[in-house]
Amino acid sequence: MESKNYHEDLSHIRSMMERSSRFISLSGLSGVFAGLIAFVGAIYVYFVFQREGINYFEGNKNVFSRDLVKELILIGTVILVLAVFSGYFFTARKSKENNLKIWDKTTRRLVFNFAVPLVTGGFFCLGLLYHHLFVLIAPSTLIFYGLALVNAEKYTLSDVKYLGYCEIALGLISFFFLGWGLVFWAIGFGVLHMVYGLVMHKKYK
């Protein structure tokens, strides 16, 4: 009886320590919906190319007009906002279910460690955009996003790093297939997120 109570106490202490040092309310559903939004966005961009007379899968080099670049940036921004909102919504809901605060010292550390590589990558991609090196943007975003996930892992679920490794690997591979960024984006931000989200939802539901 005493042994049982001892193990229960240890489990309780371990749980309290994890709650205080890691943000454990990340929702698998947020990954699924973020991936779905990104995948639908990639399909929409494909049809935008079709409208502009660009047959993406022919693999030809194309010159994008300034208006098209602005439209693509707008589409990317909308996708990002929707993905972040869905992530916040499902994570906030899970935090409420578990009676945990969504914003505390651990969350701030998580956001900071996630933001440093991500913001760095954002400015790097703005530089690529400024110099019209559009073909390098897709690989760069995947790599910097993966680095951000790996860097943030120590303040949240350890499984996040595996998604980060996959994003980095995909980004590096895409450097050898320049011109196919939309496909790699759809896989990295779409398919990988959905698979990761489903696995996490099943594991931590």
Side-chain angles (χ1 to χ4, degrees), residues 20-64:
S20 64
S21 62
R22 288 177 178 263
F23 183 74
I24 60 175
S25 293
L26 285 180
S27 170
L29 289 178
S30 65
V32 174
F33 275 82
L36 185 60
I37 291 167
F39 193 78
V40 171
I43 294 173
Y44 180 77
V45 169
Y46 169 76
F47 283 109
V48 169
F49 285 149
Q50 291 285 91
R51 185 198 69 202
E52 296 294 318
I54 299 172
N55 192 330
Y56 182 80
F57 290 105
E58 283 185 353
N60 296 327
K61 292 183 178 179
N62 296 288
V63 177
F64 295 167

Side-chain angles (χ1 to χ4, degrees), residues 9-29:
D9 289 341
L10 279 180
S11 298
H12 182 65
I13 293 170
R14 191 180 299 115
S15 177
M16 287 179 63
M17 290 178 64
E18 184 152 287
R19 287 187 179 209
S20 64
S21 62
R22 288 177 178 263
F23 183 74
I24 60 175
S25 293
L26 285 180
S27 170
L29 289 178

